[in-house]
Structures are given as structure tokens and as C-alpha cells.
Amino acid sequence: MPVIDATSEVAFMSRAIELARRGLYTTKPNPRVGCVIVKNNRILSEGFHQQAGEDHAEIVALKQLTNPANARGATVYVTLEPCSHTGKTPPCSDALINAGIACLVYGMSDPNPQVNGSGLQKLRNAGIVVDGPVLESECRALNPGFIKRMQTGLPYVRCKLAMSLDGRTAMASGESQWITGEAAREDAQLLRAQSCAIITGVGTILKDNPSLTVRSEQLSASVKSSQPLRVILDRNNRTPKNAKIWQQPGDTLLINNCSDLKTVLKTLADKQCNEVLIESGATLAGAFVQQGLVDEFIIYIAPTFLGSNAKPLLQLPFEKMSEQLKMHINDICAVGNDWRITATPVRH
């Protein structure tokens, strides 16, 4: 039985996590996974899952070995339990068994009901030592949408907002371009790129006529060519046929039956959407918040005041202090001349 040093174990799993992040914009609807193959405390090869339908991280790492026989007796570190079922690719657990590895260290078990422990058990049954979870919270953070969709049948929902220091998003006339600077708007493009779908309302379409596409200069052409699904909530069919959103690469979905927002999200989950981004006005965004459907807020704050006549960040008609929605701030950072706050609702 191989002896694994705890310090090395963390270091190798950290490397696997770093590799998994390379698939941040490309793996959807699959999870982001990284893998490292180690022998005699030295990395022999590594890999990450890049795109659905292509090799999983474990297979990429096995193929990267200079000599396939080197896998015999090695330890494999992988951020997510190896799959045990045949989907678009064969089971990774079988490939690891056939390669003759001695030990598998995993970051988290697979929440997919088709796997969920069976991959690990298959390895144990083959005489392979299985150790984990290791750095589980960090591994879970790689795939909040995949995990939530597998466990609840709903996607992970982010709400992107931009406001002034006094919490305003637009002038009373509706004029809103631009509150934040170019760096913040470019940063928001990265949020779009990692999302499976972007939800907006017909009011935003009529007011701003947005394209809702990924245009970031920081991203490769292959990422930009794989546009997230654009979703318009429009119960009265007011979206113009010549709106920009129809003329963009990728798909646009118009939903008329949108009074039940949870059902909208369930529809998107059924389409294998893991992470959904809300880019809308105060009314629709507020409705998602009031129904408790937002998992995370990304709020860009510009160093300016728009005044008391300007429109509020969210339409939340609270009247009592007891109704307030408290937030847990996960991160605050400067983006150009603006600030970005990442926060999650505190739910009891």
C-alpha cells in the first residue's frame, strides 16, 4: 500500500485544482476537472477536461505519459471522482484500473446520480487504494452549477448588478450607459463566458437593445464562438423581431410562461445549464431575489453618485427592518476604477 505524505497530498491536489480552472469557460455542461499522475513523489503527467465530448482529465493525463507503463503503481490525484458510466466517453474508472495505478486520491465525490460513489467503489474492488476527499471545499468551488443541478435539478444563479455609490443603476429617464468603467465591463464579459445561459427581461431588450454576447478580448476565439444561451422573459411577446439579440451567434430562447421563475430555471437545468447569469433591470432581478432564487451576487460599484431621482438597484418593496436580506461578502476587489463585490444571501 503506497504511503502518502499529507503535505505532498495537498500540493498535488492543489495542482489538479489549478489545472481544472483552465476549463472554466469551456467544459459546460460538464464539470471542470483536473488530474495529476504521480510516482515517487514526482509528477509524471497531468491533464484537465477541456470540452464536453472530449477526453476527461484522467484520460488526458494518461495519454500525456511518455510511457503508458509508467502508470503502473502510480498515484492519481483528481478533483472529482472518476466516472463509472459510459456517456460520450468511456468510464475513466475502467481506464485507471487498466492502467494499473496503485492509488487514487480524489477531491470530492461525484454528485451525478449515475456515479455518486460507484466510481470509487469500482476502484476499491479492483484493489486500488482510494483516499479522500482532499481539499473538498476548493474542489466543490470549481463546479457550483454542476453540483447544484445534480443535487436539486436547478442551476446555480448569479445576479450581475452595476450601481453608483448611492445604490442607483440608471437615471429616471432610463439612461444608464455607462455607470462603470471599461475594466468592469470587460470583467463582466468573463462572467458571461463561464455561464451556460444569460437571462434578461423584455424591458431590458426594449430599453437597451443589448446583444448579450461574449466579446472579451481576454478570451480565445473558440470560447467566444461558444456563446451562452440567451433567454428573454417576455409574457406578452413584446420583443421586436429586429432586436439585436436575434442577430447574434448562438441561440436565443424566448419564454412567455415566466410568472413562475423557478420553473424557468428548471427548464434551463433540463437543458443542462449549470450556471445562469441574470442581467436585467431592477424589477426582474428583484423578483428572482424575492423568490429566493439567487445564489450569488456580483455587484460592480462605480465611484459616483446618481442622485435620489435615479432608479434603485433592485425592486424590493420592503417596509420593515425585519424584511431585510442580509448578505455574506465573499470578496471585494478593485476592477479598474470601480469595485466588485461578490456576495451570497444569508439564508436561515
Side-chain angles (χ1 to χ4, degrees), residues 110-126:
D110 194 331
N112 185 342
Q114 292 182 291
V115 185
N116 197 18
S118 63
L120 300 177
Q121 191 58 49
K122 183 181 283 191
L123 294 167
R124 291 189 185 101
N125 293 344

Side-chain angles (χ1 to χ4, degrees), residues 114-158:
Q114 292 182 291
V115 185
N116 197 18
S118 63
L120 300 177
Q121 191 58 49
K122 183 181 283 191
L123 294 167
R124 291 189 185 101
N125 293 344
I128 295 170
V129 176
V130 175
D131 184 29
V134 173
L135 298 183
E136 183 176 17
S137 61
E138 290 88 344
C139 290
R140 292 182 67 84
L142 291 168
N143 297 294
F146 179 77
I147 294 170
K148 187 182 177 190
R149 179 166 68 87
M150 289 297 159
Q151 293 180 338
T152 70
L154 294 172
Y156 188 87
V157 179
R158 292 186 179 92

Side-chain angles (χ1 to χ4, degrees), residues 277-289:
L277 183 65
I278 299 171
E279 288 197 49
S280 69
T283 301
L284 181 58
F288 272 100
V289 174

Side-chain angles (χ1 to χ4, degrees), residues 220-290:
S220 66
S222 63
V223 173
K224 284 185 279 192
S225 66
S226 177
Q227 295 287 335
L229 174 67
R230 297 177 294 271
V231 181
I232 309 168
L233 304 189
D234 177 8
R235 68 182 61 175
N236 294 316
N237 284 315
R238 294 190 294 148
T239 302
K241 288 184 172 58
N242 62 349
K244 285 183 183 178
I245 200 166
W246 298 116
Q247 303 163 23
Q248 309 307 316
D251 297 325
T252 299
L253 174 66
L254 190 145
I255 298 180
N256 301 124
N257 186 14
C258 51
S259 56
D260 184 349
L261 297 178
K262 188 172 183 178
T263 298
V264 170
L265 295 178
K266 178 67 168 60
T267 298
L268 296 180
D270 290 344
K271 293 179 178 293
Q272 295 189 299
C273 291
N274 292 330
E275 298 174 24
V276 170
L277 183 65
I278 299 171
E279 288 197 49
S280 69
T283 301
L284 181 58
F288 272 100
V289 174
Q290 285 183 287

